[in-house]
Amino acid sequence: MLTDKEGSAFDPYAYFDAKAIERYRQNGFDLYDQSNRPLRDDYRQAINALVDSTFGESRWLNAMAVYATSEQVERLRHQPFVREVRSIKEYAVSAAVASAEGMTTTVGGPLSSKLADQLVRMQGDQFVSRGFDGKGVRIAVFDGGFPQVDSHKAFRHLHSNRQIVKTWNFPNGKEDVYGWNSHGTMTLSCIAGMMDGQKLGLATGSEFLLARTEVEMEPRREEVWWMQAMEWADRNGADIISSSLGYGIDRYDPSDMDGTSLVALVANMAARRGILVCNSAGNEGNDGAWMTIITPADADSVLCVGGIEAQLSYTRHIDFSSYGPSADGRLKPNVCAFGHALTANIGSDDATHWVDGTSFSCPLVAGFAACAWQTMRDKNASELFHAIEQSADLYPYYDYALGYGVPQASFFFGQKISTRPTFHFERGTDELKVVADRRVSETQLFYHQRFNTSGRLFWYESKQIQYADSGSVLLLFDVDRLKANNTIAVSLGGYYDEYRIDDGQGSVLSLGVGATSSSGTSLYDGQHMYKKPSLWGNASTYRYDIYWQIGSAINTTSSETTLRGFSPSNHLGVRFMRAFSKPYGLGIGLDWSMTNFRMIPSRPNALDNALAINVGDVRNKKMRQGDLALELFQRIRFVAGGIGHRGLYCDMGLYAAYSYYRYDVSSRIALAAAGTTETHFRQLHFSDAYLWNWGATLRFGYDFFSLFARYRLTGVFSDEKTVASPSSTDFYLHLPRLEVGLQIAY
């Protein structure tokens, strides 16, 4: 990050496309803004001389992306023109999961049959019947490649009308984008695809900028390419950005999803220039540990789009779609659309298939936004952003699974009206009821409880109502267990109302459903559509490990009792950790273990002497140590991981254990009988000794597996009465202090 751009020459009229200049003027943003100016040549040359290589730069951030050693980084930090040095560790992940099925038919009337279901759900026929197809709106699509977009039947109208204005392949530094990852082909079809007169996306009349910003195996550069693509799209007159890429669980911690990443900063800068940025929420919904969206969807000015199941009759969060809120508590996702979509399929120039992922909900909404903007071209991107939220079918209700719901085209033609009441609140001494005003059937009820001051939710849920008569109790809340200064919000059948709670106590919301109406009609108990994910997990602020360790004691000095081969140890335990940042956390663990020290029979030790054991008669000798240990440790994480999300890490800690020791010896006894000598063995048991000890721990691992070492800092002693010393005595037994092995953690 550089300090200034003083003296850098800049002609915006030579740099910007005419459409970009028009957008700047409409939004009142200065074409000569310092962030648009190029980097200083003298700074660029100086940095090139200081590092191994450079691979990109950002005008908006006044920054250069470089490969540098730690020594070179230190030299960079001491340059007077360098403001800051930040490490780039992230890589892009397409917000798609495995695709599924072949071509299927759609449902609907004469007009809706021309639209895929994913567009019917957004009332796309309202745009189509009035001739709105996104014409005059320029959309930039960021993805990993666009194979067959130049030949596939779904995009022939774009080529014949010259609607693809520009392309750029950032990884390869050339215009050709028609290859590589087919993900971009599928997302583009959700914006503007059309097959045999049936629309797959709504913006079939828009212009397009196609940017390849992702490669299959590049862990560091994609974030830079994404930022460069944003500046490229701005320069070339983009009105809307559709990005089905994101940075999340693989490199970030949930606490980082607060709008401060580099890509989030750049996305907000694009919004200030009048661009509507749409980004997928992510596919971490099945990971209860993540519990938030991905960046740049966490940026304040980015329209974050979540996914729902492909159903026309109800709204249900699709399981893989990421939940909100952002790490700092802002509403995310903002809206939602189908996460199971019909798209163009490569391999044949006229094939389609169904695919899954929030990757497809985002471009569906981007195409919707282009048509919506066409109806209100005098409005800016911020006004369009909020209009899309207000058009959603649940607005003003919201939650962290659906946002405000699915955008509806009828809103932009003044057709969204409030329905007549479907319920009311009844407050009693000990309870708060939500009571049906009229008969409802085959519908959904949505409700949440939120803090009055911040608007942040701490509970939300949806239930399907099969049947409820007028007067039926839909929800029942225990007033004594409601949090004070909160609000209960309910949405049913398009009607919304809320109840403010200024009294009450406690922190647990008691929910009751399945009550009986006054007429005796039973209310369907419903089903849980979604709940807020757990606060605990490997990738959350609070984490836990359940683990098993197997190892062996090892001699480290000649004074220790010599071991006889492998001396096995087993540990079972659980650890809890609080992450304070991506790389650092503190934790506590509880561990039970058993170690068997197998000793060389012929070598005497202090305990043999105390017990008056003749080692010449000893056949086997073993000391058992059982521990119940409490550990305090710190975790340093170097690289994030894919399984378990622990990544490459090192734990360093101290433990205190309450231990018991038991000594087992098999010795030979000669017996004379009938003139012969027989040899028998007897087992000697040293009485159990219970002692405190403590030591240091070290673990170094990746995800599920790690190597561990434990070193006991205290000696092992006994004050037992023995054969050799009838009175109480203290002596030390020099057992091995080091233990090493393998850990498997879940």
Side-chain angles (χ1 to χ4, degrees), residues 259-433:
T260 59
S261 72
L262 293 176
V263 288
L265 294 175
V266 167
N268 278 336
M269 295 177 78
R272 290 197 293 273
R273 288 163 165 78
I275 300 175
L276 177 69
V277 183
C278 302
N279 209 96
S280 299
N283 289 329
E284 285 70 40
N286 285 323
D287 192 321
W290 182 249
M291 212 187 74
T292 187
I293 38 77
I294 57 178
T295 193
D298 62 332
D300 182 69
S301 299
V302 168
L303 188 69
C304 174
V305 186
I308 60 171
E309 292 184 0
Q311 295 290 339
L312 297 177
S313 58
Y314 60 84
T315 302
R316 179 182 295 168
H317 170 267
I318 201 164
D319 57 356
F320 52 75
S321 182
S322 293
Y323 294 87
S326 64
D328 54 341
R330 288 174 290 107
L331 173 62
K332 296 289 178 177
N334 303 95
V335 293
C336 58
F338 275 14
H340 180 71
L342 184 65
T343 74
N345 184 18
I346 66 169
S348 172
D349 285 342
D350 60 357
T352 59
H353 63 165
W354 287 95
V355 291
D356 292 332
T358 55
S359 280
F360 311 110
S361 60
C362 170
L364 288 172
V365 170
F368 177 97
C371 296
W373 212 343
Q374 192 182 1
T375 71
M376 46 185 287
R377 285 303 279 164
D378 58 325
K379 304 297 183 181
N380 61 33
S382 177
E383 292 171 314
L384 176 64
F385 182 109
H386 294 298
I388 291 173
E389 287 185 321
Q390 292 167 23
S391 78
D393 54 5
L394 295 179
Y395 187 87
Y397 175 86
Y398 62 89
D399 61 37
Y400 298 144
L402 307 175
Y404 289 112
V406 182
Q408 301 293 288
S410 58
F411 173 87
F412 296 92
F413 305 107
Q415 296 179 14
K416 185 171 183 178
I417 58 175
S418 299
T419 59
R420 61 192 179 98
T422 55
F423 64 89
H424 66 275
F425 291 96
E426 290 184 5
R427 173 68 184 266
T429 304
D430 301 319
E431 61 189 14
L432 174 67
K433 297 178 182 179

Side-chain angles (χ1 to χ4, degrees), residues 125-202:
D125 58 309
Q126 298 271 350
F127 288 135
V128 176
S129 64
R130 292 171 171 83
F132 291 99
D133 60 1
K135 187 175 182 179
V137 179
R138 187 170 290 181
I139 304 173
V141 184
F142 299 171
D143 222 298
F146 302 88
Q148 294 183 224
V149 166
D150 53 347
S151 61
H152 200 286
K153 188 176 183 178
F155 309 107
R156 287 176 188 170
H157 60 291
L158 300 183
H159 290 285
S160 61
N161 297 323
R162 297 184 179 180
Q163 291 171 242
I164 298 180
V165 179
K166 281 192 176 182
T167 62
W168 192 252
N169 186 326
F170 284 89
N172 294 91
K174 59 183 181 181
E175 290 185 350
D176 181 20
V177 298
Y178 300 121
W180 299 278
N181 195 318
S182 63
H183 188 260
T185 303
M186 294 185 286
T187 59
L188 180 61
S189 70
C190 287
I191 302 176
M194 187 160 53
M195 291 286 293
D196 298 322
Q198 183 188 52
K199 287 194 173 192
L200 306 178
L202 288 170

Side-chain angles (χ1 to χ4, degrees), residues 684-722:
L684 298 179
H685 300 289
F686 169 58
S687 299
D688 295 344
Y690 298 92
L691 310 170
W692 284 100
N693 67 79
W694 57 91
T697 57
L698 177 69
R699 286 178 296 277
F700 190 81
Y702 185 82
D703 286 340
F704 288 161
F705 303 98
S706 64
L707 299 175
F708 78 90
R710 188 163 89 152
Y711 191 82
R712 178 169 44 82
L713 296 172
T714 52
V716 177
F717 69 94
S718 173
D719 60 359
E720 294 292 318
K721 296 180 179 180
T722 66

Side-chain angles (χ1 to χ4, degrees), residues 442-505:
E442 299 297 336
T443 188
Q444 279 180 264
L445 183 146
F446 302 86
Y447 56 101
H448 72 228
Q449 188 177 18
R450 69 176 186 265
F451 296 100
N452 290 339
T453 52
S454 67
R456 186 165 184 169
L457 310 184
F458 65 93
W459 184 271
Y460 58 96
E461 197 168 26
S462 172
K463 294 184 179 295
Q464 185 132 355
I465 304 298
Q466 185 179 24
Y467 174 80
D469 206 349
S470 176
S472 297
V473 177
L474 303 174
L475 295 171
L476 179 65
F477 303 97
D478 184 345
V479 171
D480 289 337
R481 302 180 69 190
L482 294 176
K483 289 182 71 69
N485 301 314
N486 277 253
T487 294
I488 299 289
V490 180
S491 177
L492 175 65
Y495 177 72
Y496 172 87
D497 200 5
E498 57 187 41
Y499 190 91
R500 184 182 175 96
I501 303 164
D502 292 316
D503 55 359
Q505 60 186 356

Side-chain angles (χ1 to χ4, degrees), residues 89 220 249-251 253 538 543 545 577 581-585 634-652 699-707 743:
K89 297 180 179 179
R220 298 183 185 275
I249 204 165
D250 296 282
R251 292 295 179 190
D253 279 348
N538 293 326
R543 310 176 184 182
D545 285 343
M577 196 186 79
S581 64
K582 281 190 297 181
Y584 187 77
Q634 58 181 342
R635 174 167 295 180
I636 300 173
R637 192 175 70 161
F638 305 103
V639 176
I643 302 175
H645 317 304
R646 299 170 185 84
L648 182 65
Y649 69 93
C650 178
D651 289 349
M652 295 174 287
R699 286 178 296 277
F700 190 81
Y702 185 82
D703 286 340
F704 288 161
F705 303 98
S706 64
L707 299 175
Q743 171 185 286

